[in-house]
């Protein structure tokens, strides 16, 4: 293929970023396409760059971490062509071979844990302890799928014709486009990529433009692990709408896996209809967290804090509505606020002792502020926080607790994606299950109860794809991760994750 060449050497790396990493080879500022880093000789890379910033330092000029080069439409097409060409041979590799590739990546991530966590903490803002946790979580998907890769099995099915037999063969679907968000810059890639590789698929990955540096560092580890060229392509670009449309409409891409908002999921589904792609979507949530009157209140308080304020409330599975039985409401609210007051240290991710970081950007801040203002104007009481903390930087917001929240308030109806915990009083199991399910989305839900009959009853009645019972922390590689209703479809991780990247072929053997 002849490719026109335009190139600018405009990408830059700040001295701060360079000084903070031990393995500087992890710092990359151009896309990784067909086994090569974008350069004047092999891509159509334009002069367009975009800036990656540290949300903790925004809006200071010191916030700038790097400028990275945007891939063009032609680069994406080149990457799809490379992935299609690589698929021709990669689809026939053995599970054991792919397992070894995944194990190498797992080990490489752990070997570079500190640096990868530093990149995450810098571009996402989460505290270093959380960032280290994310690296281990992200790597665990490669370990998990390395184990799944050699265990892909079909079946033999009895035919209604006595002289025939039916075989079901599982085969990789083809080129997969992977689009990921900024809240888990590595884990949302590895949960998809691990399954795709285990299945024998090839990939074109578009990470969020807020957090491309972690994704490009992962591409460097892919290069070192000697994946065949074209199997993993990582392309950065800050025009998500252009890239999403291109990937959805290209007939060579057979599957789209996306984590992000329900609004964008609906658009991608529409755009994929002309080529009828297989889709896996992990979209928005509005997680209920129910504390029944028979719960252990101290444990429920700890679980609610862990769930609500993980990554400062910026995960799709964060508790969004905390329902507390009226008989323990006052005790729960007092202990919840007390524990936050004593345990929380707000600050920049890299600062020692910090437990909670900033919001990613001002758009998130606007939503947080609007939810608090709307709730308090409609009668909610401010139990903790409530104001921005400009002394720390424009993206910081105090962890906030609202009491007496009711269903008319925006914070009840919409995912806040920020550090605000709304407490809602309830009186009966039937009422709270009805309130919990009163939303178009259903990703995660949680409840605390010691009554085993209730545990089964409520777990079965809640309209969510995942439920935490007596725990606020559900995420791990073994969990079938995904939602119902407008939270999307498909399951990631677990023994089901690989199936999303495969098709079943039925083979009828006649004349047996
Ligand atoms: C998400 O927020 O989309 C994923 C959270 C997780 O994997 O725990």
């Amino acid at each position: 293929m002849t490719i026109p060449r335009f190139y600018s050497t405009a990408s830059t790396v700040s001295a701060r970023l360079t000084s903070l990493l031990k393995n500087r080879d992890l710092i990359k500022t151009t896309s990784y396409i067909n086994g090569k880093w974008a350069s004047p000789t092999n891509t159509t890379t334009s002069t367009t760059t975009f800036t990656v910033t540290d949300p903790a330092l925004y809006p200071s000029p010191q916030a700038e971490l790097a400028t990275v080069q945007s891939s063009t439409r032609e680069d994406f097409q080149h990457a799809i062509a490379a992935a299609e060409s690589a698929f021709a041979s990669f689809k026939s590799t053995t599970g054991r071979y792919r397992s070894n590739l995944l194990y190498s990546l797992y080990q490489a991530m752990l070997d570079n844990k500190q640096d990868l966590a530093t990149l995450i903490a810098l571009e996402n803002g989460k505290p270093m302890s959380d960032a280290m946790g994310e690296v281990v979580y992200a790597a665990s998907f490669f370990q998990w799928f390395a184990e799944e890769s050699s265990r892909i099995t079909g079946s033999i099915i009895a035919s209604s014709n006595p002289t025939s037999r039916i075989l079901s063969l599982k085969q990789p679907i083809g080129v997969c486009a992977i689009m990921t968000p900024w809240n888990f810059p590595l884990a949302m890639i590895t949960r998809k990529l691990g399954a795709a590789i285990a299945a024998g698929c090839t990939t074109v990955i578009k990470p969020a433009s807020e957090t491309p540096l972690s994704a490009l560092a992962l591409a460097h580890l892919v290069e070192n692990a000697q994946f065949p060229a074209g199997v993993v392509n990582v392309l950065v670009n800050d025009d998500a709408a252009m890239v999403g449309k291109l990937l959805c409409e290209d007939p060579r891409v057979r599957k789209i896996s996306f984590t992000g908002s329900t609004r964008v999921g609906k658009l991608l589904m529409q755009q994929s209809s002309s080529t009828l792609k297989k889709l896996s979507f992990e979209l928005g949530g509005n997680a209920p967290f129910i504390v029944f009157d028979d719960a252990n209140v101290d444990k429920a308080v700890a679980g609610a804090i862990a769930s609500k304020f993980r990554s400062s409330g910026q995960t799709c599975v964060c508790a969004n509505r905390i329902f507390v039985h009226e008989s323990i409401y006052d005790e729960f609210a007092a202990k919840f606020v007390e524990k936050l007051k004593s345990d929380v240290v707000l600050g920049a991710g890299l600062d020692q002792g910090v437990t909670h970081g900033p919001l990613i950007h001002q758009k998130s801040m606007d939503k947080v502020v609007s939810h608090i203002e709307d709730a308090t104007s409609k009668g909610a009481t401010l139990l903790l926080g409530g104001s921005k903390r400009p002394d720390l930087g424009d993206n910081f917001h105090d962890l906030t607790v609202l009491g007496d929240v009711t269903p008319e308030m925006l914070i009840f109806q919409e995912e806040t994606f920020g550090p605000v915990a709304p407490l809602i009083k309830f009186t009966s199991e039937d009422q709270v299950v009805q309130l919990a399910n009163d939303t178009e989305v259903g990703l995660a839900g949680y409840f605390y109860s010691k009554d085993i009959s209730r545990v089964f009853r409520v777990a079965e009645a809640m309209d969510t794809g995942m439920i935490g019972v007596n725990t606020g922390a559900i995420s791990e590689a073994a969990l079938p991760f995904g939602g119902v209703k407008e939270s999307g479809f498909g399951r990631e991780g677990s023994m089901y994750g690989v199936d999303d990247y495969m098709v079943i072929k039925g083979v009828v053997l006649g004349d047996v």
Side-chain angles (χ1 to χ4, degrees):
M1 180 173 23
T2 321
I3 303 161
R5 297 190 171 118
F6 311 100
Y7 186 73
S8 137
T9 50
S11 59
T12 55
V13 176
S14 70
R16 176 168 170 250
L17 172 56
T18 313
S19 72
L20 286 167
L21 258 61
K22 281 201 287 284
N23 177 2
R24 292 179 184 160
D25 291 344
L26 290 168
I27 304 174
K28 300 287 181 195
T29 53
T30 62
S31 296
Y32 181 67
I33 305 172
N34 199 19
K36 297 193 180 72
W37 295 96
S39 81
T41 54
N42 62 18
T43 67
T44 61
T45 304
S46 70
T47 52
T48 317
T49 57
F50 63 94
T51 306
V52 186
T53 53
D54 176 348
L57 296 184
Y58 175 86
S60 142
Q62 312 301 324
E64 189 166 320
L65 295 168
T67 53
V68 299
Q69 212 135 32
S70 248
S71 281
T72 59
R73 300 179 70 88
E74 290 74 22
D75 291 339
F76 276 91
Q77 272 146 10
H78 180 193
I80 295 168
E84 190 185 38
S85 156
F87 183 65
S89 48
F90 197 63
K91 67 180 179 189
S92 309
T93 55
T94 63
R96 184 59 69 199
Y97 166 78
R98 298 193 300 274
S99 174
N100 287 337
L101 287 177
L102 288 168
Y103 270 126
S104 306
L105 265 187
Y106 165 66
Q107 197 50 55
M109 285 188 78
L110 296 186
D111 292 346
N112 289 280
K113 184 172 150 187
Q114 178 80 24
D115 282 340
L116 292 172
T118 302
L119 279 175
I120 292 176
L122 282 170
E123 61 180 359
N124 166 285
K126 67 178 73 174
M128 200 53 189
S129 54
D130 285 7
M132 296 281 259
E134 179 178 345
V135 178
V136 174
Y137 178 46
S140 78
F141 290 108
F142 287 147
Q143 181 189 37
W144 177 270
F145 285 115
E147 286 150 2
E148 289 295 298
S149 184
S150 351
R151 290 173 176 62
I152 294 166
T153 50
S155 59
I156 300 179
I157 303 166
S159 166
S160 32
N161 181 340
T163 63
S164 292
R165 302 289 182 275
I166 299 172
L167 314 183
S168 73
L169 302 182
K170 285 192 183 170
Q171 296 187 310
I173 189 162
V175 176
C176 300
I178 290 176
M179 290 181 260
T180 55
W182 47 262
N183 63 344
F184 289 88
L186 284 177
M188 293 305 96
I189 296 178
T190 60
R191 188 155 70 194
K192 299 173 193 307
L193 179 62
I197 297 298
C201 293
T202 56
T203 57
V204 176
I205 301 170
K206 150 70 177 78
S209 57
E210 290 87 347
T211 55
L213 299 174
S214 311
L216 293 173
L218 181 64
H220 170 68
L221 300 182
V222 165
E223 181 185 28
N224 276 1
Q226 313 215 316
F227 276 62
V231 170
V232 180
N233 301 278
V234 181
L235 280 76
V236 294
N237 187 298
D238 62 346
D239 186 351
M242 181 281 282
V243 176
K245 188 165 184 310
L246 184 152
L247 294 171
C248 287
E249 291 182 350
D250 194 306
R252 295 168 296 179
V253 175
R254 295 310 324 149
K255 180 193 166 80
I256 302 276
S257 180
F258 168 70
T259 295
S261 71
T262 296
R263 182 187 66 77
V264 173
K266 287 181 181 179
L267 184 66
L268 296 178
M269 192 166 182
Q270 261 171 22
Q271 291 172 342
S272 299
S273 68
S274 61
T275 52
L276 283 180
K277 294 194 199 322
K278 184 161 171 158
L279 305 172
S280 301
F281 285 172
E282 192 243 291
L283 308 175
N286 182 0
F289 188 109
I290 307 171
V291 188
F292 286 105
D293 49 356
D294 58 59
N296 177 319
V297 174
D298 292 328
K299 288 187 178 169
V301 164
I305 289 175
S307 170
K308 173 64 246 182
F309 293 111
R310 179 175 173 223
S311 294
S312 294
Q314 300 175 104
T315 91
C316 297
V317 293
C318 280
N320 202 56
R321 295 167 295 157
I322 303 176
F323 297 96
V324 187
H325 190 266
E326 58 186 358
S327 65
I328 52 166
Y329 180 91
D330 290 341
E331 180 192 356
F332 180 93
K335 287 182 166 170
F336 191 74
V337 168
E338 247 353 274
K339 192 159 171 56
L340 287 170
K341 277 189 188 158
S342 70
D343 291 0
V344 170
V345 181
L346 198 58
L350 290 185
D351 289 353
Q352 281 281 321
V354 162
T355 59
H356 292 80
L359 292 171
I360 189 77
H361 42 42
Q362 286 297 296
K363 216 168 126 212
S364 300
M365 180 66 76
D366 292 347
K367 190 164 195 192
V368 165
V369 171
S370 77
H371 276 188
I372 296 172
E373 283 174 2
D374 173 79
T376 48
S377 75
K378 291 175 181 158
T381 43
L382 206 49
L383 302 180
L384 182 73
S387 63
K388 283 175 80 168
R389 289 278 301 270
D391 51 327
L392 281 172
D394 283 11
N395 287 338
F396 284 91
H397 196 287
D398 279 332
L399 271 52
T400 296
V401 184
L402 296 172
D404 304 311
V405 167
T406 55
E408 318 47 74
M409 299 174 188
L410 278 182
I411 198 159
F412 187 99
Q413 294 155 17
E414 295 174 1
E415 185 177 36
T416 307
F417 231 69
V420 191
L423 305 186
I424 305 141
K425 233 178 247 172
F426 73 90
T427 51
S428 73
E429 183 181 307
D430 284 350
Q431 178 215 11
V432 76
V433 169
Q434 190 270 323
L435 283 171
N437 289 341
D438 186 17
T439 167
E440 287 96 52
V441 289
L443 190 59
Y446 307 82
F447 64 92
Y448 273 66
S449 168
K450 286 189 286 211
D451 174 344
I452 189 68
S453 308
R454 171 176 275 160
V455 165
F456 276 93
R457 217 168 41 237
V458 175
E460 286 164 15
M462 275 168 75
D463 290 340
T464 57
M466 298 168 284
I467 307 220
V469 183
N470 295 323
T471 177
I474 55 173
S475 301
E476 59 152 311
L479 174 75
F481 199 104
V484 297
K485 303 200 284 189
E486 293 194 11
S487 288
F489 33 73
R491 290 295 177 265
E492 300 190 318
S494 81
M495 75 269 243
Y496 305 110
V498 178
D499 286 344
D500 266 36
Y501 293 83
M502 308 209 79
V503 282
I504 293 177
K505 182 179 280 176
V507 179
V508 179
L509 290 184
D511 199 20
V512 176

